[in-house]
Amino acid sequence: MGYQNIVFPKGATFLVTGAAGFVGSNLVEAILKLGYKVRGLDNFSTGKKENVEEFLHNSNFEFIFGDICDFDICLKACKGIDYVLHQAAWGSVPRSIEMPLLYEEINIKGSLNMMEASRQNAVKKFIYASSSSVYGDEPNLPKKEGREGDLLSPYALTKMVDEEYGKLYSKLYGLDTYGLRYFNVYGRRQNPDGVYAAVIPKFIKQLLSNEQPVINGDGRQSRDFTYIENVIEANLKACNASREAAGQAYNIAYGGREYLIDIYHQLCKALDKDIQPKFSDERVGDIKHSNADISKAKELLGYSPSWNFEKGIEAAIKWYILHL
């Protein structure tokens, strides 16, 4: 269970793009703890400098300040790298609806730059972040790979295009690519600030500040909230996956289903707060329900998530209490 016993060849080197972001910084930390060398790439457009500062004294860590939209930077970052964990992207469905051109530039062109740079540098494995948003309006639960609906946002489209490029790069060029469809990841270092902040850290910060949180919709929407440790495991197990498993996308979640209003009351109880939320309009582009079938990732990647929602939310709350 987990990833602590995963072994890579001696001297293995990893590149984490978006290294100063939520998922990226947690990947950097985990790989360094396993004793391997990590190069981080970020331009701090959404990531935070403080997320990588603690690693700068580690002789196994190298940081490059740069943009994935700059192909020369991508080539430099991939030089001498065995495994690329490509997390750099702009998230948020609502923001993508407001800024489709920017999402095209960063999430599609930037990802293609990274795949091409990986190919030219003979990288062994290219693991990249996709999203559950690619399921669009497909109503059936649980969500299963190969059964997608109409896309609902530019963000979802960028992730679907990344998957298609990943498929092509495996087929045409022999670059082993693995797309990880994250389902509502949460945990330490996730940014609680701003209008586009993820709901769990945002609620926690507002409750700790005795503010009244806003719930979009009626709160009866459901999500497969996935603790960061499960996502780290998926990335590292994909690095060890077979070539036969390449060129495909995989659901990465716990396989559970939580209703937003229930989570809100759970957070209130854990933080000893009695604050009624405000309800607002549903957000454009949001799906109503999300729950993942993770059998494919279990079978082909050896993915075996050990952090359920209860265990993960307890750890997340403790971290935010210490760091907010």
Side-chain angles (χ1 to χ4, degrees), residues 13-310:
T13 56
F14 294 78
L15 169 66
V16 178
T17 71
F22 161 44
V23 175
S25 62
N26 277 288
L27 284 168
V28 170
E29 181 179 46
I31 298 165
L32 289 174
K33 283 181 178 178
L34 291 174
Y36 299 99
K37 292 188 176 182
V38 186
R39 182 179 294 154
L41 173 65
D42 208 302
N43 68 350
F44 304 135
S45 62
T46 59
K48 291 183 174 182
K49 191 175 182 181
E50 54 262 38
N51 283 344
V52 291
E53 281 179 336
E54 64 183 283
F55 311 128
L56 295 177
H57 68 278
N58 191 319
S59 60
N60 278 341
F61 182 66
E62 173 193 2
F63 182 74
I64 296 174
F65 176 79
D67 193 330
I68 59 171
C69 293
D70 183 334
F71 184 62
D72 289 336
I73 288 286
C74 296
L75 280 173
K76 176 185 174 184
C78 288
K79 190 172 182 179
I81 293 294
D82 297 310
Y83 308 98
V84 171
L85 304 179
H86 176 51
Q87 313 299 312
W90 268 40
S92 172
V93 164
R95 182 167 56 187
S96 77
I97 292 172
E98 296 172 16
M99 308 176 186
L101 295 179
L102 191 62
Y103 275 72
E104 167 84 18
E105 180 75 10
I106 297 169
N107 290 7
I108 296 179
K109 184 183 177 184
S111 294
L112 182 57
N113 281 345
M114 285 304 309
M115 286 187 204
E116 179 60 17
S118 296
R119 180 181 78 88
Q120 292 190 24
N121 279 283
V123 164
K124 291 177 182 175
K125 304 280 185 183
F126 184 89
I127 290 86
Y128 61 96
S130 185
S131 166
S132 60
S133 66
V134 300
Y135 287 105
D137 64 359
E138 209 290 315
N140 294 297
L141 295 178
K143 306 293 184 183
K144 191 169 178 62
E145 300 92 340
R147 197 175 64 196
E148 294 82 23
D150 289 331
L151 300 175
L152 299 175
S153 68
Y155 172 72
L157 177 60
T158 66
K159 291 302 184 178
M160 182 58 81
V161 173
D162 288 349
E163 290 187 6
E164 291 299 320
Y165 268 121
K167 197 185 301 180
L168 280 176
Y169 264 72
S170 288
K171 184 177 180 180
L172 296 177
Y173 307 118
L175 175 67
D176 286 3
T177 69
Y178 305 82
L180 306 184
R181 293 180 177 175
Y182 298 159
F183 279 69
N184 296 88
V185 188
Y186 70 98
R188 58 188 178 273
R189 297 199 191 95
Q190 191 172 30
N191 188 0
D193 297 317
V195 67
Y196 302 115
V199 67
I200 287 179
K202 191 170 189 175
F203 281 175
I204 292 173
K205 182 173 184 180
Q206 288 173 326
L207 288 170
L208 286 172
S209 303
N210 292 314
E211 297 175 17
Q212 186 180 23
V214 175
I215 293 178
N216 296 107
D218 60 6
R220 298 307 300 167
Q221 57 268 55
S222 62
R223 297 288 183 269
D224 198 332
F225 285 100
T226 309
Y227 189 59
I228 184 63
E229 289 290 307
N230 297 331
V231 169
I232 296 170
E233 178 200 334
N235 274 271
L236 296 181
K237 285 189 171 174
C239 290
N240 269 342
S242 69
R243 173 151 260 183
E244 289 71 32
Q248 301 182 58
Y250 299 86
N251 289 341
I252 301 303
Y254 184 74
R257 189 178 174 198
E258 311 295 331
Y259 289 89
L260 200 56
I261 192 66
D262 294 338
I263 290 173
Y264 179 78
H265 291 310
Q266 191 171 344
L267 292 174
C268 286
K269 184 177 179 182
L271 298 170
D272 194 24
K273 300 291 182 179
D274 184 16
I275 302 173
Q276 291 302 312
K278 288 188 285 188
F279 292 92
S280 183
D281 295 335
E282 292 184 10
R283 296 194 312 185
V284 177
D286 269 2
I287 56 175
K288 185 71 175 176
H289 299 293
S290 184
N291 166 235
D293 179 334
I294 57 174
S295 57
K296 182 181 174 184
K298 284 184 172 182
E299 180 186 353
L300 297 180
L301 303 182
Y303 176 59
S304 182
S306 55
W307 286 73
N308 63 17
F309 182 75
E310 288 71 28

